[in-house]
Amino acid sequence: MSARIATVSRDTNETQITVSVNLDGEGRLRCDTGVPFLDHMLDQVARHGMVDLDIDAKGDLHIDDHHTVEDLGITLGQAFHQAIGDKRGIYRYGHAYVPLDEALSRVVIDFSGRPGLYMNVDFTRDTIGRMDTQLFWEFFQGFVNHARVTLHIDNVKGFNAHHQAETIFKAFGRALRMAVAEDPRMVGQMPSTKGSL
């Protein structure tokens, strides 16, 4: 496969975001979104997904974190969509269970070309640090719509909200890593009976 790298920018009245992604990276992250807990979660995605992420994000944080978190999901999704190309030779599907102490989450992803988010998470707190836990749905919805993937997220158990979120993002990274990996038995082939995704 050729290099699977993409850079995407989004410039609105609410946010100015540039995301670069290397799907065959070393798990490195460079970012400062202004939302510290989101930075911590993106570090999990990079590390466990073995993707390199370079993110410049400025948003209207004086209002709240909503626009920054949502638009980052959108831009990250666009970058993944561009970097993955026509999807020939990839596994396409990825899944992971990840525990952290009492918490356990499952994430399943399909680079199907059909956006769909199915998220079953009851956070035990409304905020983690200063981040509103409702914004995790906004982040993943933006990613799903623009990466054009089907994504199932289930927090199976957990009472510490930080642990709930961290298991979700670690499992998301692991599922991404599996789905975008090159399948040595599918070299040059489309992982679909349709012939395209």
Side-chain angles (χ1 to χ4, degrees):
M1 287 185 173
S2 58
R4 299 186 301 167
I5 297 170
T7 299
V8 173
S9 294
R10 178 179 176 85
D11 190 354
T12 73
N13 290 334
E14 298 168 340
T15 62
Q16 298 79 48
I17 298 174
T18 298
V19 172
S20 295
V21 60
N22 177 357
L23 299 185
D24 303 301
E26 299 175 355
R28 293 183 305 216
L29 171 72
R30 190 201 66 79
C31 83
D32 181 4
T33 65
V35 185
F37 192 76
L38 180 61
D39 292 349
H40 180 46
M41 293 300 97
L42 292 169
D43 196 21
Q44 306 307 319
V45 175
R47 184 72 50 87
H48 295 281
M50 288 303 289
V51 296
D52 292 341
L53 298 175
D54 194 329
I55 299 168
D56 286 315
K58 293 181 179 59
D60 52 2
L61 300 178
H62 60 286
I63 295 174
D64 73 3
D65 297 342
H66 187 287
H67 299 140
T68 300
V69 175
E70 179 183 26
D71 286 6
L72 184 54
I74 290 169
T75 312
L76 186 64
Q78 291 171 335
F80 264 82
H81 179 70
Q82 285 190 23
I84 200 72
D86 69 3
K87 304 173 191 169
R88 289 184 186 276
I90 67 167
Y91 277 97
R92 174 182 165 178
Y93 303 100
H95 59 88
Y97 279 88
V98 170
L100 174 57
D101 297 343
E102 88 301 341
L104 175 67
S105 292
R106 174 184 60 224
V107 173
V108 183
I109 194 166
D110 176 11
F111 276 80
S112 61
R114 296 183 304 278
L117 175 62
Y118 307 91
M119 188 169 175
N120 181 24
V121 181
D122 292 318
F123 283 105
T124 58
R125 293 180 56 194
D126 293 334
T127 59
I128 305 172
R130 73 165 207 220
M131 187 170 176
D132 183 342
T133 54
Q134 290 182 333
L135 296 182
F136 294 118
W137 189 91
E138 299 292 344
F139 172 84
F140 286 116
Q141 186 67 68
F143 180 86
V144 159
N145 286 342
H146 294 271
R148 303 178 196 175
V149 300
T150 301
L151 182 64
H152 289 254
I153 300 171
D154 294 283
N155 176 236
V156 179
K157 61 179 72 172
F159 57 78
N160 181 301
H162 186 128
H163 292 173
Q164 289 177 291
E166 192 162 331
T167 56
I168 288 165
F169 277 84
K170 285 178 175 177
F172 178 57
R174 286 278 172 174
L176 283 171
R177 179 177 175 179
M178 181 185 293
V180 305
E182 299 175 49
D183 182 347
R185 298 182 65 194
M186 289 285 289
V187 174
Q189 296 183 56
M190 186 62 65
S192 171
T193 56
K194 294 183 182 70
S196 66
L197 286 170

